Amino acid sequence: MTRLFSEHFPASSAPTPEPLKLSWVSIVFFTIVHGLALLAPWFFSWSALGIMILLHWFLGSIGICLGYHRLLSHRSFQVPKWLEYAIALVGATALQGGPIFWIAGHRLHHAHTEDEEKDPYSARRGFWWSHMLWMIYPKEEFFNPNLYRKYAPEMARDPFYLWLDKYYLLLQIPLGVALYLLGGWSYVIWGMCLRAVLLWHSTWFINSVTHMWGYRTFETNDNSRNLWWAAIVTYGEGWHNNHHAYPHVAKAGWRWWEVDVTWWAIQVLRSLGLATKVIMPPAVKN
């Protein structure tokens, strides 16, 4: 597995474990957003629910799963640069970090899967660590731009990605204004706060539960699993054992019943001539 990412990870001696330091900024941020999300029942409307579902899919499936993950992290297919930038903007709006930060951390996860020091969200450190504590106790090498950028060097050379990685939070301003103009505070609470919380935990489930529960199709050198309900809430990412066995393959669900909504979007792009060099599973290459 490490060999697949060797171009990004030069050999080095084992790092000395650094003491954990609590990030109060992270605690306050996550507490505020979760608290605002709890207000959702008092701001309910059917249209607000619809907006939340739409944005959960658009920002999650298109922005994170298709964009940050399969396109930018693994380069499992190619799109024109203008479209790549547009998809990266969608991913950055999901409020899961800038693109270089996200991609660098994910590449480290694959290069050193479940290593307690080198994998940012190693499942061997327990459910809560892999789910969210790795952000509450941030390690310098994973959160300092001067350090993590070396794991996504092609993006660190791109002025657009450097800007987006630094200022991605600003995208919440036009999103919030647009939602308020469309439906007032109801749309803001449901479309921004509740959507962010649900999408966070959906994504974090891939780091936590799919390294603990589910079935294994491939005997990989880690504990990655295929978990049906995680695949539903993450638009196909829950077929995690398939992904760890063949990380550069664009399709996560291989069997007919392994539903992969993000793969459907890639197929649409391919049918339009916008997605090329799509890497398929070995058994179904065409």
Side-chain angles (χ1 to χ4, degrees):
M1 184 66 67
T2 302
R3 187 166 62 251
L4 292 172
F5 295 86
S6 60
E7 67 270 22
H8 302 297
F9 308 98
S12 61
S13 58
T16 302
E18 62 180 83
L20 296 177
K21 297 179 181 179
L22 194 65
S23 171
W24 285 103
V25 172
S26 297
I27 290 176
V28 170
F29 173 72
F30 286 125
T31 299
I32 289 174
V33 180
H34 279 75
L36 290 172
L38 291 175
L39 298 176
W42 288 272
F43 289 87
F44 175 80
S45 71
W46 288 109
S47 60
L49 173 63
I51 285 291
M52 189 274 290
I53 293 172
L54 176 64
L55 287 176
H56 189 283
W57 164 77
F58 185 60
L59 300 180
S61 181
I62 304 303
I64 299 298
C65 303
L66 184 151
Y68 271 20
H69 188 207
R70 304 191 199 187
L71 175 61
L72 296 176
S73 293
H74 296 290
R75 299 293 178 180
S76 61
F77 62 99
Q78 294 181 11
V79 296
K81 185 59 72 172
W82 66 265
L83 182 55
E84 178 181 311
Y85 285 165
I87 294 172
L89 277 169
V90 176
T93 308
L95 202 57
Q96 295 194 8
I100 305 178
F101 162 78
W102 202 102
I103 278 70
H106 190 71
R107 287 177 177 175
L108 276 166
H109 170 67
H110 275 276
H112 308 291
T113 306
E114 297 174 358
D115 185 287
E116 293 189 18
E117 296 302 324
K118 297 179 181 180
D119 181 351
Y121 26 86
S122 172
R124 288 186 183 176
R125 300 187 70 166
F127 170 85
W128 285 110
W129 177 267
S130 58
H131 195 72
M132 65 183 299
L133 286 182
W134 68 279
M135 295 175 288
I136 304 300
Y137 293 94
K139 297 181 68 174
E140 178 77 4
E141 63 185 292
F142 305 141
F143 286 82
N144 185 329
N146 294 324
L147 298 178
Y148 68 65
R149 284 174 183 167
K150 65 183 177 181
Y151 302 118
E154 81 284 10
M155 299 180 70
R157 292 190 294 266
D158 189 315
F160 174 77
Y161 285 126
L162 286 171
W163 179 89
L164 191 57
D165 199 62
K166 187 175 182 180
Y167 297 111
Y168 72 95
L169 280 173
L170 295 178
L171 297 174
Q172 298 306 302
I173 297 174
L175 175 63
V177 170
L179 288 172
Y180 182 79
L181 293 176
L182 285 171
W185 289 113
S186 176
Y187 276 32
V188 173
I189 294 296
W190 281 78
M192 286 190 70
C193 303
L194 182 59
R195 183 272 311 160
V197 168
L198 294 179
L199 188 53
W200 282 341
H201 288 281
S202 298
T203 303
W204 299 343
F205 279 141
I206 303 304
N207 302 336
S208 56
V209 298
T210 60
H211 281 266
M212 296 180 178
W213 301 296
Y215 65 89
R216 289 167 60 81
T217 300
F218 301 98
E219 291 301 319
T220 56
N221 295 324
D222 53 56
N223 198 40
S224 58
R225 306 278 172 156
N226 293 324
L227 190 58
W228 68 269
W229 63 262
I232 291 175
V233 300
T234 59
Y235 307 100
E237 302 296 88
W239 311 118
H240 204 51
N241 177 246
N242 298 347
H243 175 61
H244 268 268
Y246 293 91
H248 293 299
V249 167
K251 186 178 184 181
W254 288 29
R255 296 169 176 169
W256 69 266
W257 45 267
E258 293 177 340
V259 176
D260 185 356
V261 174
T262 300
W263 168 244
W264 300 347
I266 295 173
Q267 285 185 299
V268 170
L269 291 177
R270 185 165 65 168
S271 69
L272 296 173
L274 293 173
T276 60
K277 298 184 179 180
V278 180
I279 301 175
M280 298 292 291
V284 294
K285 275 189 175 179
N286 53 29

